[in-house]
Amino acid sequence: GCRRCQCRSEDKQTAILYTLLSQKNLACRPARQRCLCHQRRTVCLRTPHLTCQAASNVLGKTISFMKNLPSFRLLPREDQLLLLESSWVPLFLLGLVQEMVTFEVMETPAPSMLKKILLNGQSQQQEPEQTQPTLVAVQQLQCCLNSFWSLDLSPKEYAYLKGAILFNPDVPGLRASLYIESLQQEAQRALQEVLQPLHPEDQSRFARILLISSRLKSIPPALITDLFFRPVIGSADIMELITAMLCERPSAPVAH
């Protein structure tokens, strides 16, 4: 049952009265009107070691994709960082789809009584409690990933779609927004051209790809960070880490 559910905190008489009054409306009430406390429960990865390792590999490939684009490297550094901040989540999620990274979650284990006693008092005040993803948020994320898997994109479709997502001229503060807009249009045009020979009978595929990709932008960065990277990076700032990855120069070969 929902141990912390507010709807279970009322006295038994109120609950019985509510049940009796609701009997007439049970047939017409949708299932979603019932208690959704289980969806609000916090969850964590069932196999964090394996999943976090796979996610880290995808993130590394995502940053490498940006760094290896000549048109991206020509942009002002300020624009590169703005595009990085706005697009790393949808690009990372596309990488998960492309690399076929699947994951399962389980309900976050409740802290033991000993841990509660040890953390009681000043320790709780000194260390801020880390946020945990909710079940409903993870379900929405998995639904979005499943939508992309159903498209079965080719490598070229992935590449051009990533370019269309990365070069977003609507990001506030861009200095080269007109140039970035031309890069986005070029990526979208290339995506359309590659679709024609691959799916000549599917005239709506381009619009469907863009529609589903727009859902990636609705996934909050905090959810991705808490689910895939918080077990590894702890309280570190994910943006500082990926910015350092973007600005990192390749190491020089060692002379023998």
Side-chain angles (χ1 to χ4, degrees):
C2 303
R3 289 168 294 181
R4 295 184 297 275
C5 176
Q6 294 181 358
C7 65
R8 298 295 180 92
S9 62
E10 300 178 2
D11 58 48
K12 293 182 179 180
Q13 290 183 350
T14 305
I16 294 175
L17 178 61
Y18 176 80
T19 302
L20 292 175
L21 294 176
S22 302
Q23 289 297 323
K24 296 181 179 180
N25 299 324
L26 282 178
C28 59
R29 287 177 59 198
R32 291 185 179 181
Q33 293 297 323
R34 290 181 290 179
C35 175
L36 296 180
C37 294
H38 70 285
Q39 292 188 336
R40 301 190 194 100
R41 291 179 180 175
T42 59
V43 295
C44 59
L45 294 172
R46 186 174 295 277
T47 56
H49 176 71
L50 297 177
T51 305
C52 290
Q53 180 62 50
S56 298
N57 292 337
V58 170
L59 182 62
K61 292 181 179 180
T62 300
I63 304 302
S64 296
F65 166 78
M66 299 182 190
K67 295 171 65 173
N68 292 330
L69 284 177
S71 53
F72 182 79
R73 294 199 305 266
L74 290 175
L75 293 173
R77 174 62 67 179
E78 297 83 354
D79 286 6
Q80 292 181 20
L81 297 180
L82 288 173
L83 293 180
L84 170 68
E85 184 175 4
S86 68
S87 66
W88 79 268
V89 168
L91 291 179
F92 167 76
L93 294 177
L94 267 185
L96 289 184
V97 177
Q98 189 172 13
E99 298 291 331
M100 301 294 293
V101 176
T102 59
F103 61 93
E104 294 182 358
V105 295
M106 63 180 184
E107 187 174 356
T108 305
S112 64
M113 184 61 64
L114 177 60
K115 186 175 181 180
K116 289 182 179 180
I117 295 175
L118 294 176
L119 293 180
N120 188 29
Q122 59 181 6
S123 297
Q124 285 184 329
Q125 297 176 2
Q126 293 174 355
E127 298 181 3
E129 185 179 358
Q130 294 184 355
T131 58
Q132 290 286 344
T134 62
L135 177 59
V136 65
V138 173
Q139 288 175 335
Q140 291 172 351
L141 169 61
Q142 291 178 323
C143 180
C144 187
L145 298 179
N146 289 336
S147 298
F148 260 103
W149 273 315
S150 67
L151 291 174
D152 193 20
L153 299 180
S154 66
K156 287 186 176 181
E157 287 175 297
Y158 276 115
Y160 294 134
L161 180 57
K162 289 178 181 178
I165 291 176
L166 173 61
F167 297 115
N168 180 10
D170 298 326
V171 175
L174 292 173
R175 294 171 53 188
S177 57
L178 292 179
Y179 176 58
I180 292 172
E181 183 178 10
S182 68
L183 292 175
Q184 185 184 64
Q185 292 174 351
E186 181 180 345
Q188 291 177 346
R189 185 162 52 249
L191 177 59
Q192 278 185 304
E193 291 176 356
V194 79
L195 286 178
Q196 293 176 357
L198 290 177
H199 306 277
E201 75 290 345
D202 192 352
Q203 300 297 323
S204 63
R205 183 174 177 84
F206 176 73
R208 195 161 66 253
I209 290 176
L210 294 185
L211 177 61
I212 297 178
S213 64
S214 66
R215 296 172 56 189
L216 296 177
K217 301 177 183 179
S218 66
I219 305 297
L223 171 62
I224 303 304
T225 303
D226 293 336
L227 183 62
F228 295 109
F229 301 109
R230 193 62 66 198
V232 178
I233 67 175
S235 59
D237 189 329
I238 186 66
M239 276 308 304
E240 292 182 2
L241 296 177
I242 62 178
T243 298
M245 293 170 62
L246 181 68
C247 299
E248 182 183 16
R249 295 181 180 180
S251 57
V254 180
H256 295 281

